[in-house]
Amino acid sequence: MKIIGKSHVYGDNIDTDRIIPGKYTKTLNLQSLADHVLEDLDPEFSKKVAEGDIVVAGENFGCGSSREQAPLALKKAGVSLIIAKSFARIFFRNAINIGLPIIELKDYHIQPGDIVEADLISGIVTVNGQSYTGTKMPEVMVDILNNNGLVNYLAKHKTYKL
């Protein structure tokens, strides 16, 4: 599973309140979430993000509360992949469960606007001719992503694989 997109680069410890402020989480309207995604961190993000873009961050992306709205808001805004040095575990699982691909990549040189190509199966991320090796996505997680989330995966398979 390969993903290619333009990068939006941020720093460390971006918590779920920075991804989608709590005051916007009282709705089931995903477009409303997308309209406010990352607004406290980057007020113009929802206007400049395009379908297929990639968010790149540092350590501990998605820390804080366990709200599922954080990855949902990013996905609905058009983000096709999140690359970070590390993820909060609950954010990691929520992202996979809703069908938003992520890669942990400890060492990289990615600037805002770079075109990034990522292979989820191999964990290889390429930017400006330089390749970096991130975590390989387990096969079952790639299957979940290919089915656009855990609910669809379980409905299709009527079970789960360990």
Side-chain angles (χ1 to χ4, degrees):
M1 180 175 195
K2 290 194 178 183
I3 298 171
I4 300 172
K6 182 181 74 171
S7 65
H8 300 266
V9 181
Y10 302 100
D12 295 336
N13 300 312
I14 298 171
D15 65 36
T16 53
D17 285 327
R18 299 296 301 268
I19 297 168
I20 185 68
K23 64 186 175 186
Y24 299 117
T25 61
K26 311 292 188 271
T27 181
L28 297 175
N29 182 329
L30 294 181
Q31 188 57 55
S32 177
L33 293 175
D35 290 344
H36 298 285
V37 69
L38 292 174
E39 75 178 17
D40 288 346
L41 181 66
D42 181 353
E44 298 300 311
F45 181 79
S46 68
K47 294 175 183 79
K48 65 184 177 183
V49 68
E51 193 71 32
D53 283 0
I54 295 172
V55 168
V56 179
E59 299 284 351
N60 206 23
F61 187 86
C63 57
S65 69
S66 62
R67 66 176 59 128
E68 188 176 88
Q69 294 97 327
L72 282 169
L74 289 162
K75 184 176 179 183
K76 181 63 179 178
V79 173
S80 65
L81 171 68
I82 302 171
I83 297 171
K85 291 182 179 181
S86 67
F87 291 90
R89 292 295 97 188
I90 192 72
F91 183 90
F92 184 99
R93 288 308 308 184
N94 280 339
I96 298 299
N97 289 346
I98 61 105
L100 177 61
I102 58 179
I103 291 181
E104 285 187 336
L105 188 62
K106 294 293 182 193
D107 182 42
Y108 59 80
H109 184 72
I110 302 173
Q111 297 297 311
D114 282 348
I115 301 302
V116 176
E117 181 177 334
D119 185 318
L120 295 180
I121 295 170
S122 70
I124 302 294
V125 174
T126 305
V127 59
N128 299 325
Q130 177 69 43
S131 292
Y132 305 94
T133 302
T135 55
K136 295 178 183 177
M137 187 71 57
E139 183 180 334
V140 68
M141 288 187 181
V142 173
D143 287 346
I144 290 168
L145 293 169
N146 283 333
N147 282 281
N148 200 29
L150 183 60
V151 171
N152 294 334
Y153 171 85
L154 292 174
K156 180 179 176 182
H157 295 284
K158 308 286 191 242
T159 187
Y160 63 91
K161 295 186 257 182
L162 292 177

